[in-house]
Amino acid sequence: LMVCMYLGVLGTLVVLHRMGEALVRDGEQQREAFYARLSKVAYCDDDEVPLAASGHQVEVRSHGDIFDYDDAGYILKYSTKRAVSTKAIFVWRHTIVCVPAIALRIIVAILIALLTCLLDMLLFCFDAKVRISVEDVDNATAFFNTFISIMLGFYMSTMLARWWDVRNNTMGRMWGAVDDLCLTMSAHLPGFRLRPLRKLVLRYSLASFELTFMQAQGDNNVDQLVGRSLLTADEALVLRNQPSKSQMIWTWIAGLLYSLHRQGHIDTNMLPFFYSKVLDARGGIGATFAYLDTQLPFIYVHLLAVLVHAANVIVSIDAGVSACHAILLGPDDSAKPCMRLLQLCLQTFFYNAFLEIGRIFSDPLGTEFEDFPRHAWHCFMRNECEAFDFAGNAHTVAMQKATASASKAEMPLSALGATVTAAHASSDLAPEMDTIAGELMPAARSK
């Protein structure tokens, strides 16, 4: 019976390990094929065609009404109601259950238990004076579990906080700056004649977004962005072999804004606002790599991993000794082989699951299913900015009436005084400004 139990558990784990490896392999092939196909899609061929209509869109797929994922192989959203229901017990695909490393570690733990059982049998057969005590192993297991519970709790809370900061305060900061920049330019610089410039700013912003993910994944091939028309050949040549490519692009955007200021399209009061959005976007990218490149201290993560693996080895020894005592001496209160085997599988699974979850949280810009959906966010950002551009050139009837009414309204006395005072302070022709103010202000008061 004991042999059948161990063989059954091992067989199940082998199946889970192969299933997990197949999912990882299929995901990598799906993403490679997707981006190879995406490189043939032009960013936009005609200035009159909206970018959202000409580019690739997000194809949303569903898995058992539990979660949705895109055609690039990244999770988009899951149903909280179904994720916490009993139906979630039967969902294994793309969950922690199918992580190959966890199944492999449980298999190793069971093999250690079997070797311990055989070793204890040999000691019993040769009537050795040194025997492994179940009580001593239980005490060692409880000792390790105390430290691991505290350290794993702190580890998970820290990694989850870092993950949310990367999403909200770094990548979200960049996303918000791009949206604000495109919205303000659509309202401040409307019209068909300036659309190529607005489109260029959006193209540079999307290229910077893609380069951020590429740098995080160690991909330096900027030529793929040329195939997607996010960069031209000369732009890719400038960026090639340069550090911080995603941040360099914002220098170009700042230069464009300054050129517009010199041409009179952006006044002195608005230029600092545009610059602040450029700096916000660059700061968001820099903060992203500050999180990715500044990891938790190695000595802490290493100590936690050593404690987890040591505790798994000890619980494996405990299960092996209990199985040996049950076989040779008969089951009693101290030797419960079935419960020990269950404890071995559950403890090894959960401890290693938390380690793997923390590893995934540490680099959310990677290529795993649980990482940030790079392509979906690209399309969402592009569509939002295109909607802003459309709204900036589609004035409604109510807006036209309100604008016409405001143009007929008289300037308030306080505004007139402020205008004259500002002009007086900024002009070298102080006497002439005093004369103008002396003529205008009494007439305005009498009126």
Side-chain angles (χ1 to χ4, degrees):
L1 180 60
M2 289 295 302
V3 171
C4 291
M5 286 177 52
Y6 273 85
L7 290 179
V9 173
L10 281 174
T12 304
L13 291 171
V14 169
V15 172
L16 289 177
H17 181 264
R18 292 186 176 181
M19 183 186 301
E21 286 186 334
L23 286 175
V24 172
R25 184 172 57 254
D26 293 344
E28 292 176 353
Q29 294 176 355
Q30 178 182 356
R31 278 182 283 275
E32 290 178 359
F34 172 79
Y35 281 104
R37 183 174 68 254
L38 189 65
S39 62
K40 302 177 182 179
V41 178
Y43 177 76
C44 186
D45 296 328
D46 190 349
D47 289 339
E48 298 182 1
V49 180
L51 304 181
S54 62
H56 192 83
Q57 298 299 315
V58 180
E59 181 180 347
V60 180
R61 304 174 184 178
S62 180
H63 179 71
D65 297 331
I66 297 292
F67 56 80
D68 297 332
Y69 60 99
D70 61 3
D71 44 351
Y74 293 97
I75 187 171
L76 296 177
K77 193 175 182 180
Y78 65 89
S79 171
T80 307
K81 180 179 179 181
R82 295 185 180 276
V84 300
S85 65
T86 55
K87 184 180 179 180
I89 300 176
F90 305 100
V91 178
W92 289 7
R93 184 181 177 86
H94 295 303
T95 63
I96 200 66
V97 178
C98 287
V99 175
I102 298 178
L104 183 60
R105 292 167 191 170
I106 299 177
I107 292 174
V108 172
I110 292 179
L111 292 178
I112 294 175
L114 292 175
L115 291 176
T116 305
C117 180
L118 294 175
L119 177 61
D120 200 25
M121 284 183 178
L122 291 175
L123 294 176
F124 182 83
C125 293
F126 288 101
D127 197 16
K129 295 181 179 180
V130 180
R131 297 291 304 278
I132 303 176
S133 173
V134 176
E135 291 76 11
D136 293 340
V137 179
D138 288 342
N139 294 333
T141 302
F143 175 79
F144 274 91
N145 288 341
T146 302
F147 288 100
I148 293 174
S149 301
I150 298 174
M151 295 185 67
L152 266 183
F154 177 76
Y155 175 72
M156 288 303 302
S157 62
T158 303
M159 298 307 296
L160 183 59
R162 286 169 59 93
W163 179 88
W164 177 246
D165 281 339
V166 173
R167 169 61 184 90
N168 189 55
N169 298 329
T170 64
M171 295 300 295
R173 179 182 174 185
M174 175 197 176
W175 191 338
V178 172
D179 279 0
D180 292 344
L181 184 61
C182 292
L183 184 149
T184 311
M185 291 188 67
S186 300
H188 196 74
L189 304 170
F192 178 76
R193 295 184 63 182
L194 292 177
R195 173 168 169 76
L197 188 139
R198 298 194 303 270
K199 175 189 170 183
L200 180 60
V201 171
L202 177 55
R203 179 168 69 83
Y204 281 165
S205 301
L206 295 176
S208 174
F209 177 83
E210 289 291 329
L211 287 170
T212 303
F213 276 85
M214 291 170 61
Q215 181 177 343
Q217 297 171 11
D219 185 2
N220 295 319
N221 183 20
V222 296
D223 293 333
Q224 59 180 294
L225 299 184
V226 177
R228 296 172 58 183
S229 298
L230 288 173
L231 291 175
T232 60
D234 63 311
E235 292 167 350
L237 184 62
V238 173
L239 293 174
R240 191 176 292 118
N241 300 326
Q242 294 293 332
S244 302
K245 300 179 181 63
S246 56
Q247 301 182 54
M248 281 181 59
I249 290 184
W250 289 96
T251 308
W252 295 347
I253 296 177
L256 286 173
L257 296 174
Y258 182 70
S259 298
L260 290 174
H261 169 66
R262 294 186 61 183
Q263 295 173 8
H265 296 288
I266 298 178
D267 56 35
T268 306
N269 296 326
M270 285 298 298
L271 186 62
F273 171 80
F274 284 116
Y275 275 172
S276 67
K277 296 306 174 182
V278 171
L279 297 179
D280 273 347
R282 192 227 57 84
I285 299 172
T288 299
F289 291 108
Y291 273 103
L292 297 182
D293 297 336
T294 308
Q295 302 166 301
L296 289 183
F298 173 74
I299 54 175
Y300 178 85
V301 177
H302 177 263
L303 176 61
L304 178 60
V306 169
L307 287 176
V308 167
H309 297 315
N312 293 338
V313 171
I314 292 176
V315 77
S316 301
I317 295 174
D318 192 8
V321 172
S322 299
C324 177
H325 287 194
I327 293 173
L328 298 179
L329 304 177
D332 55 18
D333 293 338
S334 61
K336 299 178 179 179
C338 296
M339 293 303 299
R340 304 288 178 165
L341 178 61
L342 180 62
Q343 179 185 359
L344 164 64
C345 295
L346 292 180
Q347 177 175 315
T348 308
F349 170 76
F350 283 113
Y351 280 179
N352 286 280
F354 286 127
L355 286 181
E356 287 296 316
I357 292 174
R359 179 189 64 81
I360 295 172
F361 282 172
S362 65
D363 185 12
L365 273 68
T367 58
E368 299 190 42
F369 179 80
E370 300 83 7
D371 291 329
F372 292 157
R374 167 183 170 183
H375 172 66
W377 286 7
H378 175 110
C379 293
F380 296 160
M381 185 190 306
R382 178 199 62 198
N383 295 348
E384 287 174 356
C385 294
E386 274 297 298
F388 298 152
D389 189 87
F390 177 77
N393 294 276
H395 293 171
T396 63
V397 177
M399 292 176 60
Q400 295 175 0
K401 290 182 178 180
T403 304
S405 176
S407 64
K408 298 177 182 179
E410 298 177 354
M411 180 180 292
L413 181 61
S414 59
L416 179 60
T419 303
V420 173
T421 303
H424 179 273
S426 61
S427 176
D428 295 332
L429 303 177
E432 288 78 357
M433 296 303 299
D434 289 337
T435 303
I436 296 174
E439 294 177 353
L440 292 177
M441 295 302 291
R445 287 194 183 93
S446 63
K447 187 176 181 179

